[in-house]
């Protein structure tokens, strides 16, 4: 998969692209990432200007962005513009985008980009959350990492992507590593007794409990099994399973 990022801050991406699975995915040839600076498409290197109608903050000029987009977008590209007014990004969108061959991401800066870029190019406008960043660069990296980790071969252990929160619609159960006892807190015994059925039930229960507590809107009632419904009843009846052994 190829990503082209259109950003006036190409340096922003140096460090995140050089770390973790995104670096490894590039080394393995699973992804390729290029950053295009719209200044290189601006005859006078000027990429922003004052807003018509007045108001604080500059707006990104249309011509350098349009030229950058034309240089990168092909027949089979998905064009995305990052903006707080966009559709909220989620795991399903990451999954859908992971089957694309080429994604072009436009990063806005300042007060945003001239609306005619949106009118003329019709990008998908995506937001990474209900808060305002100073530009789309951090959001672009969020998309790239969320998509890349879903690509075959990107993660050492594919299972770890499949059990992630949001891949399954439940939040993840808490995880523990050694030592067994840490500052007088011990790992739940069920995780150490080697009974895989008990471990699976315990984790399912913890996942349902955490989701009920923190994100009840995510609970996938329609796909619940009888066992899930029993677990849900146990949880709602206040049997706190976190410190139980079984
Ligand atoms: N640019 C500024 N804020 C943003 C957000 N929340 N999501 C995507 N792009 C942005």
């Amino acid at each position: 998969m190829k990503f082209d990022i259109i950003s006036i801050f190409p340096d922003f991406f140096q460090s995140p692209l050089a770390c973790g699975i995104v670096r490894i995915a590039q080394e393995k040839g699973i992804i390729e990432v290029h950053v295009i600076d719209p200044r290189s498409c601006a005859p006078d290197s000027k990429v922003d200007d004052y807003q018509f109608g007045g108001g604080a903050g500059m707006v990104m000029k249309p011509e350098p962005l349009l030229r950058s987009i034309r240089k990168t977008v092909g027949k089979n590209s998905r064009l995305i513009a990052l903006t707080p007014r966009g559709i909220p990004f989620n795991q399903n969108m990451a999954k859908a985008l992971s089957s694309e061959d080429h994604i072009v991401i436009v990063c806005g800066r300042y007060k945003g980009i001239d609306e005619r870029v949106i009118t003329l190019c019709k990008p998908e406008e995506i937001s990474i959350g209900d808060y305002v960043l100073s530009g789309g660069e951090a959001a672009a990296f969020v998309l790239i990492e969320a998509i890349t980790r879903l690509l075959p071969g990107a993660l050492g252990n594919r299972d770890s992507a499949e059990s992630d929160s949001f891949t399954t619609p439940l939040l993840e159960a808490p995880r523990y590593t050694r030592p067994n006892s840490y500052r007088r807190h011990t790992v739940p015994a069920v995780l150490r007794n080697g009974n895989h059925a008990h471990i699976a039930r315990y984790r399912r229960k913890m996942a349902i409990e955490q989701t009920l507590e923190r994100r009840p809107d995510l609970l996938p009632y329609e796909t619940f099994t009888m066992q899930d419904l029993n677990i849900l009843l146990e949880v709602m009846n206040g049997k706190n399973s976190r410190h139980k052994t079984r």
Side-chain angles (χ1 to χ4, degrees):
M1 155 147 359
K2 189 172 160 205
F3 292 100
D4 277 308
I5 308 167
I6 299 175
S7 162
I8 58 163
F9 289 122
D11 291 349
F12 177 95
F13 295 95
Q14 265 178 20
S15 157
L17 289 176
C19 296
I21 66 126
V22 174
R23 173 180 64 82
I24 293 165
Q26 289 172 92
E27 286 169 1
K28 287 184 178 168
I30 297 168
I31 62 164
E32 215 181 282
V33 187
H34 301 279
V35 188
I36 299 102
D37 185 345
R39 282 191 194 92
S40 68
C41 296
D44 53 1
S45 293
K46 196 166 160 44
V47 290
D48 62 328
D49 213 332
Y50 295 102
Q51 304 183 47
F52 275 113
M58 308 288 270
V59 172
M60 290 183 80
K61 286 164 70 70
E63 184 63 11
L65 282 178
L66 274 176
R67 283 195 193 179
S68 309
I69 291 170
R70 269 197 214 115
K71 247 167 97 169
T72 47
V73 166
K75 253 204 341 274
N76 296 319
S77 314
R78 284 281 283 261
L79 178 63
I80 291 170
L82 292 166
T83 158
R85 77 178 189 187
I87 298 169
F89 186 59
N90 63 27
Q91 190 67 21
N92 286 339
M93 288 159 83
K95 183 97 194 115
L97 289 169
S98 70
S99 60
E100 296 292 336
D101 290 329
H102 183 210
I103 298 178
V104 178
I105 305 175
V106 182
C107 302
R109 272 272 153 183
Y110 314 117
K111 266 293 175 203
I113 64 186
D114 189 294
E115 189 64 24
R116 287 162 295 185
V117 176
I118 307 297
T119 311
L120 290 166
C121 301
K122 300 186 179 48
E124 290 165 61
E125 294 181 85
I126 293 180
S127 160
I128 61 156
D130 292 339
Y131 40 79
V132 180
L133 303 167
S134 303
E137 283 76 10
F141 189 74
V142 167
L143 260 66
I144 290 172
E145 178 157 328
I147 294 166
T148 300
R149 61 198 307 289
L150 298 175
L151 299 175
L155 292 185
N157 176 2
R158 289 277 296 150
D159 277 353
S160 65
E162 257 129 48
S163 71
D164 278 354
S165 302
F166 300 110
T167 300
T168 60
L170 295 173
L171 302 184
E172 276 206 72
R175 306 277 150 165
Y176 299 89
T177 185
R178 287 180 289 184
N180 171 40
S181 179
Y182 181 69
R183 300 194 179 199
R184 288 190 282 131
H185 293 267
T186 51
V187 175
V190 62
L191 296 177
R192 292 178 285 115
N193 72 10
N195 183 324
H196 294 293
H198 288 171
I199 292 172
R201 191 182 193 282
Y202 171 82
R203 287 198 170 138
R204 189 81 186 160
K205 181 168 182 175
M206 293 311 302
I208 290 174
E209 186 174 296
Q210 299 240 341
T211 311
L212 184 69
E213 269 172 27
R214 297 168 186 218
R215 292 291 308 274
D217 56 304
L218 290 179
L219 277 172
Y221 293 110
E222 61 290 349
T223 58
F224 265 11
T225 61
M226 275 311 283
Q227 192 196 46
D228 290 335
L229 290 170
N230 285 332
I231 291 176
L232 185 65
L233 276 177
E234 269 174 44
V235 170
M236 290 174 96
N237 285 338
K239 291 185 194 157
N240 185 350
S241 51
R242 189 157 315 182
H243 307 294
K244 277 185 65 185
T245 53
R246 274 199 52 194

